[in-house]
Amino acid sequence: NAGVTQTPKFQVLKTGQSMTLQCAQDMNHEYMSWYRQDPGMGLRLIHYSVGAGITDQGEVPNGYNVSRSTTEDFPLRLLSAAPSQTSVYFCASRGGGRAYEQYFGPGTRLTVT
Amino acid sequence: ELKVEQNPLFLSMQEGKNYTIYCNYSTTSDRLYWYRQDPGKSLESLFVLLSNGAVKQEGRLMASLDTKARLSTLHITAAVHDLSATYFCAVDVVYQLIWGAGTKLIIKP
């Protein structure tokens, strides 16, 4: 079991560029989510999905898109990068029912110049 | 507005001492999580508290949940240097986790 994997680990973008952060899990979890973490702050939820084909917005969705075509993958797309999106991005997954524990990927450190 | 407040935000303590981190939240929830994060690393799950009065212990860490007071505590007993990290609490509100800002804990030999 690889758990939750994220690529890339580091990325530098110029303002206005677009890119996709990849996230995959091999635990057959229904629930997946994307967070951003800024210095001195807790994590903030960007988007989440409760199953293939179902996504919803979290606390800070503007500037990001997601889709969930398979149970395993949950990519996060930055449409037109801005310096305010410089952050560390974490993907997480958890199972359904009473399987409440959430597992986090290693993170992607993104810098937008 | 949903709020999760941790205090203190920064704590420097000596090895061997006891201390408590507090997590207050503003909405009804019966699920609360504690995570640990080392610098530059991902988040590691410590405890999942699922009901009022829940208490869980692992080594020198003990977490409790009072849903009526909307308060969780993370107690550190006889701290050791290896427990230096940032600790986060998060409250589960219908598929969304709302996070506290974290408590940076430094334990000096």
Side-chain angles (χ1 to χ4, degrees), chain A residues 31 35 37 40-45 48 50 57-59 90 94 98 100-102 104-106 109, chain B residues 31 33 35 37 40-46 48 50 88 92 94-102:
Chain A
Y31 179 89
Y35 294 91
Q37 184 178 31
M41 298 180 70
L43 277 68
R44 290 184 292 168
L45 182 65
Y48 65 96
V50 298
Q57 296 180 353
E59 187 183 352
F90 290 101
R94 74 179 190 203
R98 290 188 65 82
Y100 295 117
E101 187 163 358
Q102 190 155 216
F104 282 84
R109 188 173 295 272
Chain B
R31 290 196 292 276
Y33 303 77
Y35 285 87
Q37 186 178 39
K41 302 293 187 182
S42 186
L43 291 105
E44 174 190 354
S45 177
L46 294 174
V48 181
L50 295 177
F88 292 93
D92 197 330
V94 191
Y95 295 123
Q96 301 196 33
L97 289 193
I98 310 299
W99 294 73

Side-chain angles (χ1 to χ4, degrees), chain A residues 78-102:
Chain A
L78 279 72
L79 307 174
S80 177
S84 61
Q85 292 178 305
T86 294
S87 189
V88 180
Y89 292 84
F90 290 101
C91 178
S93 76
R94 74 179 190 203
R98 290 188 65 82
Y100 295 117
E101 187 163 358
Q102 190 155 216

Side-chain angles (χ1 to χ4, degrees), chain B residues 27-39:
Chain B
T27 188
T28 301
S29 174
D30 59 1
R31 290 196 292 276
L32 188 138
Y33 303 77
W34 283 97
Y35 285 87
R36 168 183 172 145
Q37 186 178 39
D38 293 303

